[in-house]
Each structure stands twice: as structure tokens, then as C-alpha cells.
Amino acid sequence: MPNRTPYIAANWKMNKTVAEAAEFVDTLLPRIAATQSDVVICPPFTALAEVVERSRGSAVRVAAQNMHEEGFGAFTGEVSAPMLVELDVEAVVLGHSERRQLFGETDEALSRKVPAALAAGLEPILCVGESETARDAGETEEVLERQLQADLANVESLELERVVVAYEPIWAIGTGRTATPEQAQEVSAFIRDVLRMRGAVVDNVRILYGGSVKPGNAAELMALPDVDGALVGGASLNPGDFAAIVDAAG
Ligand code: PGA
């Protein structure tokens, strides 16, 4: 049985000022002091440095929510991997459905961002997921395979195990509707198959579920054989709820 360290990530999206982020970290750290899991906080850019500094010496690592694929240049409003690494940020969320839907993030751009993150030493947390229409049309696997093949096209097989994949059905994000354990397991196993086909050492790849994860449903989802953790949005804004989800990983 593969022994993957559970991975629980808090995606704050566009929430929390620096002061609010500091308060969250100070409340969270004593609550998760005993965890054996990888705990990752993804604050907005403005709070990255504060969260890094406050969580030094703890189980918490810090991820950005996006980055540009180039190291520098005339890209107004963007932030590059070296800028994140300088802050001791260790990971980056790429391809979140909100970025895909609201900000025009394409698979083409992701095919450059994922290797750029890896080259800079950042751990990509690559989000994939189907819309409700695609699921209803029976196209879930097709959509996911297309996203994974395109987004990881420029990643060498041996590097694939450094990518964390988050399965986030779009219809479950922020809606209070969670995928059933059967759906989450089925899709996560499918994602592992696609990565196996790409030559990944799949026993080492962490696959997360995201979409309305809460203290009440986290344990059941994370106990699934192919689900190794959670990417948590709304429920990660409250340190008590997030700590309960970290506890649920065991
Ligand atoms: P949610 O968001 O937990 O609020 O559904 C998850 C996500 O978007 O990563």
C-alpha cells in the first residue's frame, strides 16, 4: 500500500489582509502542532511574506495562488516564480477554475507555467475539474484527460511526481455541493491512471479533492484510497474549521 503524506491546503482566494492573515496563523499553529500532514496555506500575494514569517518552524508551508511563466519582463500585474521563491514560498496553485473561467487562464499558458514552477523549485498544485454540463454529458474523464495532457505536456515523466494534482469539480466549488465519495474516488483513480500513462511514479503523486470540503465531510473524502488530501476554499478561512480538516486527515 503506498504511503503518501496527507496534504491539506487552504486556498484563501481574495480574502484576508495582512493583519487578518497574521491572526489566522497565530490561532492555527497551536491547533495543528501535532500534525504529521503537509499543511499548506495559499494567501493572496500581499500576505505571503507575513504567513511565511509567522509559520517558520511549524508544519505550515506557503503557496501562491498563481504566477506568470516568465521570470521577469513587461507583464503588468503579474508575479514570477523567482519573486515567490525569494519570499520562501514553496508551492503555487496553478489552473484554479476561477482563474480559468474568470481570468482566461488557458491550458496553453499552464503548459508553460507548470514546468516554470518546477524549474524554480516550486511545487505546482495543478487544479483540474469538469463543469456540471460536462459531467451531465458523461464527459468528465475526457475533460480531465485533456486538461492533464495539455497542462503537463512539457513536464518530464520523472518530474511528474513533484506535481500535486487537485481534482476540483467546478460544480462543487463554493456551492455547498460536494462530490460523493464514489465520484471523488473514481475520478482520482482516473487521474492516477492518466499520470501512470504519462510515465509518472504514481504511487508518489498526491491527488487532492477540492469543492465544498468542510469539517463534516473531510474525513470521509480523505480516507478514499486515491484521495491524499484536500484543497479547501471557504472552510479554510476559519482557523478552527481548517484545523478540524487537518485533524481529519489523521
Ligand atoms: P470551496 O473552494 O471549498 O469554497 O468550495 C475550493 C476551491 O476553490 O479550491
Side-chain angles (χ1 to χ4, degrees):
M1 207 35 202
N3 193 9
R4 292 181 287 269
T5 306
Y7 192 110
I8 300 88
N11 176 14
W12 285 353
K13 310 191 179 184
M14 197 176 72
N15 291 290
K16 295 197 190 291
T17 62
V18 173
E20 289 165 346
E23 196 185 333
F24 178 101
V25 174
D26 290 351
T27 311
L28 179 74
L29 292 188
R31 297 282 308 272
I32 60 159
T35 187
Q36 300 295 314
S37 301
D38 283 345
V39 180
V40 175
I41 299 181
C42 319
F45 289 123
T46 44
L48 284 171
E50 181 73 17
V51 176
V52 167
E53 295 310 325
R54 292 227 169 211
S55 52
R56 279 198 201 281
S58 77
V60 169
R61 295 187 299 130
V62 180
Q65 297 175 16
N66 180 35
M67 57 161 241
H68 195 274
E69 63 269 29
E70 296 294 337
F72 60 91
F75 303 103
T76 302
E78 293 289 316
V79 167
S80 73
M83 295 170 185
L84 299 172
V85 169
E86 184 191 34
L87 298 180
D88 287 342
V89 168
E90 293 181 58
V92 60
V93 177
L94 294 174
H96 190 279
S97 65
E98 286 151 16
R99 296 227 45 95
R100 292 177 190 258
Q101 290 187 312
L102 305 173
F103 302 104
E105 176 108 299
T106 61
D107 288 319
E108 162 71 29
L110 288 163
S111 74
R112 294 192 298 267
K113 289 186 180 198
V114 179
L118 288 168
L122 293 169
E123 176 178 71
I125 306 169
L126 175 66
C127 302
V128 292
E130 80 287 3
S131 65
E132 185 159 35
T133 322
R135 176 160 282 273
D136 290 347
E139 291 165 1
T140 299
E141 294 192 350
E142 198 182 313
V143 169
L144 291 170
E145 171 146 25
R146 195 169 58 229
Q147 289 175 337
L148 288 165
Q149 296 292 10
D151 302 349
L152 298 172
N154 299 321
V155 179
E156 308 266 350
S157 331
L158 285 175
E159 293 272 275
L160 286 169
E161 64 185 281
R162 294 175 55 205
V163 179
V164 174
V165 178
Y167 167 52
E168 297 212 311
I170 296 170
W171 47 271
I173 295 179
T175 58
R177 281 176 66 197
T178 316
T180 64
E182 292 70 27
Q183 289 169 328
Q185 169 54 28
E186 191 179 48
V187 174
S188 301
F190 175 75
I191 290 171
R192 213 174 287 285
D193 284 344
V194 173
L195 295 173
R196 185 178 290 114
M197 238 85 95
R198 270 290 330 269
V201 185
V202 281
D203 280 354
N204 296 341
V205 178
R206 262 92 61 91
I207 299 178
L208 318 181
Y209 168 78
S212 300
V213 175
K214 299 185 262 311
N217 60 21
E220 184 179 33
L221 288 160
M222 290 192 283
L224 297 165
D226 282 295
V227 176
D228 307 308
L231 181 53
V232 189
S236 78
L237 296 174
N238 175 294
D241 286 350
F242 187 61
I245 294 170
V246 172
D247 284 346

